[in-house]
Amino acid sequence: MRYSILFAAVLTALALTGCERATVVTPAPPVAVVTVPGPAGPAGATGATGAQAEKGATGDTGATGNTGATGYTGNTGATGNTGATGYTGATGNTGATGNTGATGAEGVEGERGKSGATVVVVPASK
């Protein structure tokens, strides 16, 4: 059945193409008259304001943000003041007295004095 419909369609197409068609001449359409618009008129009145819209539903809470970066280490503090002078220590004990030294050797006997000589003493200059 499928082939018979196809065969009938092909046969109809061949039969119609063999016919001679008459040439149809259509008359030209009439020329339309175009009217040129004049100057623009005044602007129209402003339209009425629209009705206020209803408030929408509140949105969901946003996700929690990330933790911030760790801050920088602070600068080293200033050097402290110099401490006060300490107390003077106590005076030490007096040392023990040393032993007495040995007696020196006896000296030689000096020359006998001369008589009649004058000794002049000159004071030191300033």
Side-chain angles (χ1 to χ4, degrees):
M1 170 107 180
R2 186 170 52 166
Y3 291 112
S4 63
I5 293 174
L6 180 63
F7 182 74
V10 172
L11 185 61
T12 305
L14 288 175
L16 290 177
T17 57
C19 296
E20 185 177 325
R21 286 205 256 162
T23 306
V24 178
V25 178
T26 57
V31 178
V33 177
V34 178
T35 58
V36 177
T46 305
T49 304
Q52 181 69 30
E54 290 185 33
K55 182 177 179 181
T58 303
D60 294 336
T61 301
T64 301
N66 295 336
T67 301
T70 302
Y72 294 109
T73 302
N75 295 335
T76 303
T79 304
N81 296 334
T82 305
T85 305
Y87 295 111
T88 303
T91 305
N93 294 335
T94 304
T97 304
N99 295 335
T100 304
T103 304
E106 193 170 318
V108 278
E109 192 170 322
E111 287 181 30
R112 191 154 177 90
K114 297 186 182 180
S115 62
T118 305
V119 177
V120 178
V121 176
V122 180
S125 66
K126 288 189 182 181

